[in-house]
Amino acid sequence: MPLIVLWDIDHTLVDNAGVSKEIYAAAFTMLAGEPPTQPAVTEGRTDRLIMREMFRRHDLTEPDWTGIEAALTQVGRDRLGDLRERGTTLPGARDALKEVAGQSNWASSILTGNIAANAQVKLSAFGLDTLVDLRLGAYGADAVDRSDLVDVARRRVRQHHGLLDGSPVVLVGDTPRDVEAARASGAEAVAVATGVHSQAELTAAGATAVFPDLSDTISLLRLLESFARH
């Protein structure tokens, strides 16, 4: 049976070593003309929401989204070298992506709060971009709320692959927001405790399954196969 697997990026597939927050700070500075006094609050939020909250916390009018996205794109591109130098692929991520990509009749892509350009930057920094179909993903410019991204990805998969509306969807992420987005959209939630949230917190949020990381490829594949069958 078809299966749609959507992967979060930061703290699920890669550790960005703080570069993400530097991108938000630099984009804010570019737009506001002065650096932020408080760091970006991320933890599963979309770029639209992250930047909106940054401007509100600084009592500034939020610029037009087109300008915000352009600033994030430019700064993200400029930080590619920093990502390669300081960041790393998380345990098991590369093998997990390879195994899922090799399954016939499965669609594997990204569901992330990052804008598409910066999702590409973060994955390409570690050679992971060729292991997912980025055309099918949902990104931080597509919606303010993360839960709305699941339907965006569903539509894109249907457009490119013609999968039926009832094809099961699995989100793989590291925050309660990832879990909540899955549950709100009728998707399965697989969580990994490679971010700031513990296995107990992710279980309490309602994850279908929680792994310490992605290194147990066999167990992960068996779980995904069970979703595809049912």
Side-chain angles (χ1 to χ4, degrees):
M1 291 292 292
L3 182 69
I4 301 168
V5 185
L6 302 171
W7 308 84
D8 175 50
I9 297 177
D10 294 304
H11 307 296
T12 298
L13 300 176
V14 306
D15 181 347
N16 64 63
V19 174
S20 270
K21 291 197 174 184
E22 293 171 8
I23 289 173
Y24 297 122
F28 178 93
T29 302
M30 184 182 299
L31 294 163
E34 58 185 25
T37 59
Q38 307 168 55
V41 178
T42 53
E43 289 205 11
R45 290 171 170 81
T46 64
D47 279 1
R48 279 184 178 271
L49 187 55
I50 290 166
M51 294 302 290
R52 175 176 295 175
E53 290 181 348
M54 283 189 77
F55 280 95
R56 286 180 177 173
R57 290 201 313 274
H58 289 81
D59 295 320
L60 296 173
T61 301
E62 180 186 1
D64 181 77
W65 169 250
T66 302
I68 295 176
E69 186 172 15
L72 288 169
T73 299
Q74 179 178 331
V75 175
R77 186 168 52 241
D78 293 343
R79 293 298 194 280
L80 176 60
D82 293 328
L83 279 166
R84 286 176 173 160
E85 181 179 347
R86 292 158 47 193
T88 185
T89 306
L90 287 168
R94 189 180 306 276
D95 288 341
L97 291 177
K98 284 181 180 178
E99 289 295 329
V100 172
Q103 303 298 311
S104 62
N105 216 26
W106 288 13
S108 180
S109 192
I110 296 298
L111 190 145
T112 176
N114 292 282
I115 59 171
N118 287 350
Q120 168 80 43
V121 166
K122 289 179 178 181
L123 292 172
S124 65
F126 309 103
L128 302 178
D129 54 318
T130 59
L131 301 178
V132 290
D133 190 340
L134 292 171
R135 299 172 303 165
L136 312 180
Y139 304 95
D142 293 322
V144 173
D145 295 322
R146 195 179 190 91
S147 58
D148 293 332
L149 295 179
V150 181
D151 284 339
V152 173
R154 281 191 175 109
R155 288 195 299 271
R156 288 176 177 160
V157 172
R158 286 201 303 270
Q159 290 167 2
H160 287 281
H161 291 292
L163 296 186
L164 299 176
D165 288 350
S167 299
V169 179
V170 183
L171 268 64
V172 185
D174 67 289
T175 73
R177 284 180 183 265
D178 295 307
V179 176
E180 291 161 9
R183 290 173 60 85
S185 58
E188 300 286 355
V190 174
V192 287
T194 40
V196 300
H197 297 283
S198 67
Q199 290 181 257
E201 288 175 304
L202 295 166
T203 299
T208 311
V210 182
F211 294 92
D213 55 38
L214 292 171
S215 59
D216 189 351
T217 310
I218 293 174
S219 294
L220 177 63
L221 261 290
R222 285 175 179 165
L223 179 64
L224 296 179
E225 287 166 357
S226 73
F227 296 148
R229 287 195 299 270
H230 297 101

